[in-house]
Amino acid sequence: MGVDNVLTAGSYLPPVRFLLVSAGLLVLAGAAIAGRPTVHTLRKSHSAPIAAIAQNDTMAAWLTAGGTKSCNAVHILSPGKRDRILPQPDSPKTVTCNWTLADGQPQLAVASRISTALWTLHESGSSPLDQVVAASVGGPERPLKDLAHASDGTGDWLGGVAGAGRTLAYSWDDVEYVDPAACLSRGMCKQKLADGGIRIVTRSSDTPLTDSGPALQLAAAAGRIAYIPATIVKSGRPSPNINSPLPILDATTGNVVAQAFVRGIPIAIALSPHVLAVLTTSGPHDRISWFSATDGTKLGNALVSPNAAPLLAASDRLIVYRVGRFLREVSTRTGRTRKLVKTGPTSLGLSLADGRLIWAENHNGGGRLRALAVG
């Protein structure tokens, strides 16, 4: 008989046997505490896969594909509150509702202190389109910007999204020909970055962040935004360059708080209140480096597999990255790396906040929001 079957409601155990069973439970509990934390499921999506995840403080969010019987929706989990849905479930004619989420990879960000989420929708074809959408808890969907570019790359591109506290932002880039007439007449079709920047989203507005330039992936924490600058056009799309400084901006004023100088090409970033983590690729190895989020001082680095996914999550004490099905961590104090956990074969996303690491796993038409307590 297993322990789960011993202490059932209404059962009776003699005092001595009760003490023995209690002691056994304490031993099991002690072993669990002494060992590595175990993965658990925060939420299940039984009828639809999870397309994107996000987290801020103790708030978690995930975007699910609704299928034929329900709308696509962003689900919000907050301790002590019932789960909520964005946009309002009684608005079936929203842009988000019937979008084909499998057509490109959506992005999702959430800002807990303004109870607002920001997500992206994608449409492929001869003129690929990205739509940026936001909604606040209890409020309607707000389409913010359409970003479309031609098959040759000219036009507007979506960069990234990020959220933390009261900060919610997305970035965009505009690719154009250096000389459109020369391209038409002589086939000299060199391209350039003509415009771009970061836009700040609140519960009621969408405004440019002063002095921000063309930007790719974003990260936010403690009232700051870090980003990978788009500096060149490569194969028709905005791209980062080797050895470019990464700015950290004040999310309110746009002033540069610090700059991190990296070696190699930055392909992923994560920001915590005191640490900026950067994944760079160069040569046979990839490298994760970390810097002070307040002055840009380099604090450490570690070599990682060249198969690392372009995805990071970070706290002040550790940085998490993915290689294949394995999540691994880097200690910002010692620089040591270790394996954390093996995920499902169709996992996506990575977010670390308040000592909780989350990601999604999809299987058989459904999905699970998975979590692991980390240091």
Side-chain angles (χ1 to χ4, degrees):
M1 180 181 292
V3 172
D4 288 341
N5 296 322
V6 173
L7 300 178
T8 56
S11 63
Y12 170 76
L13 289 176
V16 173
R17 189 175 176 191
F18 176 81
L19 290 175
L20 290 174
V21 172
S22 299
L25 290 173
L26 289 173
V27 170
L28 290 173
I33 294 172
R36 291 187 178 183
T38 56
V39 177
H40 65 281
T41 297
L42 283 177
R43 290 292 186 272
K44 289 184 178 181
S45 174
H46 295 284
S47 60
I50 296 174
I53 66 156
Q55 187 176 205
N56 178 220
D57 296 328
T58 58
M59 178 182 286
W62 63 103
L63 172 63
T64 58
T68 58
K69 296 184 178 181
S70 61
C71 286
N72 304 326
V74 174
H75 303 260
I76 302 289
L77 180 159
S78 297
K81 298 180 180 179
R82 296 182 63 180
D83 288 3
R84 291 158 290 177
I85 294 177
L86 303 179
Q88 294 182 83
D90 57 351
S91 304
K93 294 183 180 180
T94 62
V95 172
T96 302
C97 179
N98 297 309
W99 200 276
T100 303
L101 295 183
D103 197 4
Q105 180 59 56
Q107 299 184 56
L108 175 65
V110 62
S112 62
R113 294 187 183 180
I114 58 173
S115 299
T116 302
L118 175 73
W119 62 95
T120 63
L121 305 169
H122 308 275
E123 185 178 90
S124 59
S126 57
S127 296
L129 171 70
D130 297 291
Q131 287 204 349
V132 184
V133 184
S136 300
V137 171
E141 175 185 272
R142 290 188 288 139
L144 300 178
K145 194 172 182 67
D146 291 351
L147 300 163
H149 56 269
S151 58
D152 62 4
T154 55
D156 294 336
W157 291 74
L158 173 69
V161 303
R166 295 184 177 278
T167 302
L168 199 58
Y170 67 94
S171 61
W172 65 285
D173 309 291
D174 178 20
V175 174
E176 301 295 344
Y177 289 119
V178 173
D179 188 341
C183 181
L184 287 173
S185 61
R186 302 192 299 276
M188 298 173 62
C189 298
K190 185 177 180 180
Q191 294 174 322
K192 65 178 181 179
L193 285 163
D195 200 0
I198 298 171
R199 297 187 68 89
I200 301 296
V201 177
T202 68
R203 290 180 65 93
S204 59
S205 65
D206 166 26
T207 58
L209 183 62
T210 304
D211 296 332
S212 60
L216 301 169
Q217 194 176 128
L218 303 181
R224 306 184 190 99
I225 294 176
Y227 69 95
I228 298 176
T231 55
I232 60 173
V233 178
K234 186 175 182 180
S235 300
R237 64 184 305 142
S239 303
N241 206 351
I242 191 168
N243 300 337
S244 295
L246 274 61
I248 303 173
L249 309 179
D250 183 292
T252 301
T253 65
N255 293 337
V256 177
V257 175
Q259 292 193 89
F261 293 88
V262 300
R263 295 183 178 180
I265 299 174
I267 58 174
I269 59 173
L271 188 66
S272 71
H274 298 99
V275 171
L276 169 65
V278 186
L279 173 62
T280 55
T281 182
S282 178
H285 295 284
D286 287 355
R287 183 186 303 269
I288 292 177
S289 304
W290 52 101
F291 304 82
S292 165
T294 57
D295 63 16
T297 300
K298 187 174 182 179
L299 303 175
N301 71 91
L303 292 177
V304 298
S305 167
N307 297 317
L311 187 67
L312 291 179
S315 68
D316 288 345
R317 296 179 10 173
L318 60 90
I319 302 161
V320 181
Y321 64 104
R322 184 196 303 277
V323 180
R325 291 178 59 181
F326 291 95
L327 300 182
R328 303 184 63 90
E329 70 171 9
V330 182
S331 166
T332 59
R333 184 177 63 85
T334 66
R336 293 178 180 174
T337 65
R338 70 165 186 146
K339 187 185 301 179
L340 275 175
V341 68
K342 186 178 182 180
T343 67
T346 55
S347 62
L348 61 89
L350 199 59
S351 181
L352 174 58
D354 203 42
R356 182 179 66 186
L357 181 69
I358 67 169
W359 66 95
E361 295 178 358
N362 291 319
H363 183 64
N364 286 340
R368 298 185 298 174
L369 187 66
R370 304 283 273 165
L372 177 71
V374 294

